[in-house]
């Protein structure tokens, strides 16, 4: 079966693929992708007309399969990593690949023979407007998120002052060098050309990540760094490195491909897949490559059409965009957690879940005493995590330059209440402030002001549609039946927990549920007012109950544990202080009036009866705001695989109720919490 897109590979008849390298059997991700792509991976001798032999690129084990192929006259299928792989290189514990290039013609870095990717580049029309639009968005998205094949770098690290010539090193023995018509001497030649063609310019040699990690030697050493030549082995973002370069020189590195995407015309001394299409200056051109392509066409072939991408959370083949969603989630977790954190004052029941979310790279350590937490964070090079608006005493006073982030639940939380100790599927760790405190800037505000990346609004629109279709909200409790409502203009008034931080920090004159109801009734005497108490208050776990006689006097209907999503569909508008239900109403197209200043107010999306902070000047579309609030701001954990994941996975889990059951210990703790909450 020819390699192709993930979508076309799925569902075809299985074909036996005989392998002679243990990696195909022990690397479960690789075997799984091949299986989903229609191959039955097995040992033995091929015998049928449809049988194939699988080898890994041009690896040292490939000759075994090639010999059997020649002996049995069985065609070879070559497998290689796709161009977005993982956080770290495979040799550095990078984990399994996110996608494969499955090639029945050749292998993309072997220029002696046409590969499947080269055939697409040479013969596919590459004129589909939808695919080219996806390609343009994809290029910009990789730049914006600082994503590459390997991603164990820090976009915040400084790069040299602009104006340098960038020379890209590779590891010795890299198959793309030998099979791309180059050798070790080519690297010496390339460095000479870089200096001669840019007299007087600084030359920066970028080491390969595996060389910098001490895994494999490169072609350049410190001995090459003299005069105007420097060796850069710091884990900087390749996209930031491209920004300051006046020229890019490569043999066959993937960074040459990314240089094209960044707007360069790199000088190429080998014969990589991206050379020969009019986008590079080729020292050693491939004669048969005569077609002229645009950057979008090159990207569409290499990233959308040729690879087979895999979604590890949902265990299925997927699109390029879905693969980027997953990689983005994993890379974000690595970059934010790689130095580790000291978590301060976290309740015992939260700790195992916090460990899963923030402790993948370096296990969390927990401290109760703020002073000890600051000392440990400084001594061990960690950051600090604290829950929400909790008082931290000396923590904020003595933290100094130590990174401190405040943790809160995200807006797609769970099936069940936090007060019932149901762990959240999404969390935010905000290094600037609290999203529900309008007195200070938060990361959410900064994300809203910056706007989404290319394609971000369309992604948010799809996400909103899924949420509405599945009837999802923050807590997703088992609903009671919806009562009959009187006819008229219906206003939904969601009750809140009155000691909630969003009330304490974001409320105006009305800061109780009773005051909220009185204001709504006073300004809407003829409306049908529907009051919905907060689930935590109904459960007796938190304060905020309105006396029954007062509630019945002010509201036409009081609803209990009904589905907020269904309820919103039956009302005309929502009035609230700071409830997240107002955000859920916006997603469903209902007008929202805010008496306080919740995170979604002040952006022109709501009617605000509370003065907005002067910082909130941006006027985003609803989709742009949703991208910030549900995609860019929170972090999500897949409850099934335990992997960092995009919000689309969590939406699917919630919709399908594909969630682990709560523990008996947590249910007992919830009951005790409710008992103690009743005491003053």
């Amino acid at each position: 079966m020819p390699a192709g897109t993930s979508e076309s590979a799925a569902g075809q008849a299985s074909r036996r693929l005989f392998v002679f390298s243990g990696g195909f059997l022990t690397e479960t991700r690789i075997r799984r992708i091949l299986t989903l792509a229609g191959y039955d991976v097995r040992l033995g001798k091929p015998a049928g007309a449809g049988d194939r032999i699988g080898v890994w690129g041009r690896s040292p084990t490939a000759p075994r399969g090639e010999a059997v192929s020649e002996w049995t006259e069985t065609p070879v299928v070559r497998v290689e990593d796709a161009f977005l792989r993982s956080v770290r290189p495979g040799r550095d514990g990078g984990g399994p690949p996110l996608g494969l290039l499955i090639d029945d013609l050749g292998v993309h870095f072997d220029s002696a023979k046409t590969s499947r990717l080269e055939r697409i580049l040479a013969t596919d029309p590459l004129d589909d407007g939808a695919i080219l639009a996806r390609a343009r968005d994809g290029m910009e998205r990789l730049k914006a998120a600082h994503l590459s094949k390997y991603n164990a770098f820090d976009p915040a690290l400084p790069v040299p002052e602009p104006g340098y010539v960038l020379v890209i090193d590779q590891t010795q023995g890299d198959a793309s060098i030998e099979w791309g018509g180059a050798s070790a001497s080519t690297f010496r030649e390339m460095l000479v050309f870089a200096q001669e063609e840019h007299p007087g310019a600084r030359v920066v040699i970028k080491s390969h990540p595996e060389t910098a990690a001490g895994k494999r030697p490169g072609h350049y050493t410190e001995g090459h760094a003299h005069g105007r030549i420097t060796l850069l082995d710091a884990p900087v973002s390749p996209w930031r490195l491209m920004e300051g370069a006046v020229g890019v020189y490569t043999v066959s590195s993937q960074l040459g491909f990314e240089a094209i995407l960044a707007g360069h015309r790199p000088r190429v001394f080998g014969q990589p897949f991206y050379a020969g299409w009019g986008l590079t200056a080729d020292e050693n051109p491939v004669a048969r490559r005569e077609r002229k392509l645009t950057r979008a066409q090159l990207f569409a072939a290499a990233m959308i059409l040729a690879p087979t991408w895999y979604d590890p959370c949902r265990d299925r083949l997927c699109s390029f965009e879905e693969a980027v969603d997953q990689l983005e989630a994993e890379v974000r977790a690595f970059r934010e957690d790689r130095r580790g954190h000291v978590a301060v004052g976290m309740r015992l029941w939260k700790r195992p879940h916090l460990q899963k979310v923030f402790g993948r790279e370096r296990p969390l350590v927990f401290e109760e005493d703020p002073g000890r937490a600051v000392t440990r964070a400084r001594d061990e090079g960690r950051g600090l995590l604290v829950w929400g608006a909790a008082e931290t005493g000396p923590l904020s006073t003595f933290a100094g330059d130590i990174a401190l982030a405040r943790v809160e639940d995200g807006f797609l939380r769970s099936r069940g209440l936090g007060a019932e100790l149901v762990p959240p599927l999404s969390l935010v760790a905000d290094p600037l402030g609290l999203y529900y405190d309008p007195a200070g800037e938060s990361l959410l505000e900064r994300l809203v002001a910056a706007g989404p990346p290319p394609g971000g609004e369309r992604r948010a629109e799809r996400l909103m549609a899924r949420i509405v279709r599945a009837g999802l909200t923050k807590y997703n409790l088992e609903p009671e039946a919806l009562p009959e409502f009187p006819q008229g203009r219906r206003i939904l008034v969601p009750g809140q927990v009155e000691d909630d931080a969003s009330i304490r920090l974001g409320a105006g004159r009305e800061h109780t549920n009773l005051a909220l109801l009185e204001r709504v009734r006073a300004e809407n005497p003829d409306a049908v007012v529907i009051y919905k108490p907060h689930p935590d208050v109904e459960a007796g776990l938190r304060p905020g109950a309105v006396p029954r006689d007062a509630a019945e006097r002010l509201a036409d209907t009081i609803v209990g544990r009904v589905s907020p999503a269904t309820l919103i569909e039956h009302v005309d508008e929502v009035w609230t202080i700071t409830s997240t239900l107002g955000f859920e109403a916006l997603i469903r197209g209902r007008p929202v009036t805010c008496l306080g200043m919740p995170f979604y107010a002040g952006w022109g999306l709501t009617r605000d009866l509370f003065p907005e902070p002067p910082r909130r000047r941006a006027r985003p579309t609803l989709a742009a705001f949703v991208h910030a609030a549900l995609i860019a701001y929170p972090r999500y954990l897949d409850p099934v695989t335990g992997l960092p994941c995009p919000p689309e996975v969590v939406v699917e889990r919630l919709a399908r109720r594909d969630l682990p059951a709560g523990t008996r210990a947590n249910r007992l703790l919830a009951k005790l919490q409710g008992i103690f909450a009743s005491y003053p």
Side-chain angles (χ1 to χ4, degrees), residues 603-619:
W603 305 105
L605 301 171
T606 54
R607 174 173 173 252
D608 301 324
L609 304 182
F610 186 96
E612 66 191 49
R615 298 181 310 276
R616 299 188 185 180
R617 295 193 179 97
R619 288 296 177 262

Side-chain angles (χ1 to χ4, degrees), residues 408-457:
E408 267 289 353
D409 292 335
F411 309 123
L412 284 171
R413 187 192 184 281
S414 53
R415 277 200 175 274
L417 301 171
E420 292 176 348
L421 311 193
V422 176
L425 300 177
S426 65
L427 290 166
V428 300
D430 197 317
L432 298 180
L434 294 162
Y435 68 82
Y436 48 74
D437 184 0
E441 185 186 23
S442 68
L443 178 59
L444 176 57
E445 286 188 354
R446 194 167 287 184
L447 291 168
V448 174
E457 287 197 53

Side-chain angles (χ1 to χ4, degrees), residues 478-485 558-563 566-567:
E478 292 302 319
E480 298 173 354
L482 202 66
E484 291 288 333
F485 295 128
I558 301 171
V559 296
R561 201 161 163 147
V562 301
S563 164
T566 305
L567 188 54

Side-chain angles (χ1 to χ4, degrees), residues 459-545:
R459 182 183 176 192
E461 287 166 355
R462 291 192 297 270
L463 183 65
M464 283 192 290
R466 292 180 189 178
I467 289 170
V468 172
R469 192 163 55 245
L472 299 180
T473 57
K474 183 173 183 177
Y475 294 110
N476 303 290
L477 306 175
E478 292 302 319
E480 298 173 354
L482 202 66
E484 291 288 333
F485 295 128
Q487 294 299 312
R489 181 170 64 92
R490 297 169 183 166
I491 298 176
L492 173 60
V493 181
Q496 294 184 243
V497 175
E498 290 179 357
D499 66 352
D500 187 78
S502 73
I503 294 287
R504 290 189 287 105
L505 300 172
R509 185 179 62 192
E510 293 82 13
H511 54 271
T512 67
N513 292 319
L514 178 58
L516 168 64
L517 278 170
E518 288 173 339
R519 177 79 180 270
V520 172
R521 177 51 75 195
E523 297 202 16
N524 302 275
D526 299 324
V528 176
V529 175
I530 301 167
Y531 178 58
K532 185 184 186 310
H534 191 280
D536 283 355
V537 175
E538 277 194 303
L541 300 172
R542 303 284 294 278

Side-chain angles (χ1 to χ4, degrees), residues 276-599:
W277 311 107
L279 298 168
T280 54
D282 301 324
E283 181 66 19
N284 187 17
V286 181
R288 65 177 180 273
R289 298 180 187 172
E290 298 178 342
R291 191 180 186 190
K292 304 304 179 188
L293 299 174
T294 66
R295 291 185 179 91
Q297 288 173 319
L298 177 66
F299 188 93
M303 299 299 241
I304 297 175
L305 299 176
T308 298
W309 297 109
Y310 176 70
D311 181 339
C313 292
R314 289 174 280 199
D315 187 31
R316 59 171 174 79
L317 301 185
C318 67
S319 67
F320 160 75
E321 291 83 359
E322 289 170 317
V324 176
D325 295 345
Q326 180 62 34
L327 182 62
E328 197 171 40
E330 294 183 18
V331 169
R332 179 180 177 185
F334 164 78
R335 290 177 182 165
E336 293 183 3
D337 302 337
R338 67 189 184 282
R339 294 187 179 92
H341 309 278
V342 178
V344 189
M346 302 293 184
R347 293 182 180 178
L348 288 174
W349 77 269
K350 293 180 178 179
R351 294 184 181 186
H353 188 73
L354 291 169
Q355 191 70 260
K356 292 177 184 177
V357 177
F358 299 110
R360 288 174 57 84
E361 294 299 321
R362 192 178 181 189
L364 287 181
V365 294
F366 296 93
E367 287 285 355
E368 289 298 318
D369 180 80
R372 285 198 302 269
V374 169
T375 299
R376 187 161 185 181
R378 181 169 286 113
D379 290 347
E380 298 181 11
R382 295 172 178 266
L384 293 163
L385 294 179
V386 63
W387 191 270
E391 175 57 47
T392 55
L395 186 67
S396 54
T397 304
F398 299 118
D401 59 354
I402 299 173
L404 187 154
R406 296 188 179 273
V407 180
E408 267 289 353
D409 292 335
F411 309 123
L412 284 171
R413 187 192 184 281
S414 53
R415 277 200 175 274
L417 301 171
E420 292 176 348
L421 311 193
V422 176
L425 300 177
S426 65
L427 290 166
V428 300
D430 197 317
L432 298 180
L434 294 162
Y435 68 82
Y436 48 74
D437 184 0
E441 185 186 23
S442 68
L443 178 59
L444 176 57
E445 286 188 354
R446 194 167 287 184
L447 291 168
V448 174
E457 287 197 53
R458 287 191 295 275
R459 182 183 176 192
E461 287 166 355
R462 291 192 297 270
L463 183 65
M464 283 192 290
R466 292 180 189 178
I467 289 170
V468 172
R469 192 163 55 245
L472 299 180
T473 57
K474 183 173 183 177
Y475 294 110
N476 303 290
L477 306 175
E478 292 302 319
E480 298 173 354
L482 202 66
E484 291 288 333
F485 295 128
Q487 294 299 312
R489 181 170 64 92
R490 297 169 183 166
I491 298 176
L492 173 60
V493 181
Q496 294 184 243
V497 175
E498 290 179 357
D499 66 352
D500 187 78
S502 73
I503 294 287
R504 290 189 287 105
L505 300 172
R509 185 179 62 192
E510 293 82 13
H511 54 271
T512 67
N513 292 319
L514 178 58
L516 168 64
L517 278 170
E518 288 173 339
R519 177 79 180 270
V520 172
R521 177 51 75 195
E523 297 202 16
N524 302 275
D526 299 324
V528 176
V529 175
I530 301 167
Y531 178 58
K532 185 184 186 310
H534 191 280
D536 283 355
V537 175
E538 277 194 303
L541 300 172
R542 303 284 294 278
V546 176
R548 190 73 186 182
D549 59 341
E552 291 176 347
R553 173 173 51 84
L554 296 167
D556 296 278
T557 305
I558 301 171
V559 296
R561 201 161 163 147
V562 301
S563 164
T566 305
L567 188 54
I568 291 168
E569 298 294 338
H570 286 78
V571 302
D572 298 293
E573 57 184 292
V574 172
W575 283 54
T576 182
I577 302 175
T578 59
S579 172
T580 306
L581 197 146
F583 175 53
E584 292 160 354
L586 286 178
I587 290 175
R588 290 162 173 84
R590 296 297 185 271
V592 177
T593 297
C594 296
L595 278 64
M597 187 50 53
F599 68 92

Side-chain angles (χ1 to χ4, degrees), residues 644-660:
C645 69
E648 290 85 354
V649 171
V650 162
V651 166
E652 187 170 308
R653 300 294 189 214
L654 289 169
R656 296 184 177 182
R657 303 171 185 268
D658 192 5
L659 303 168

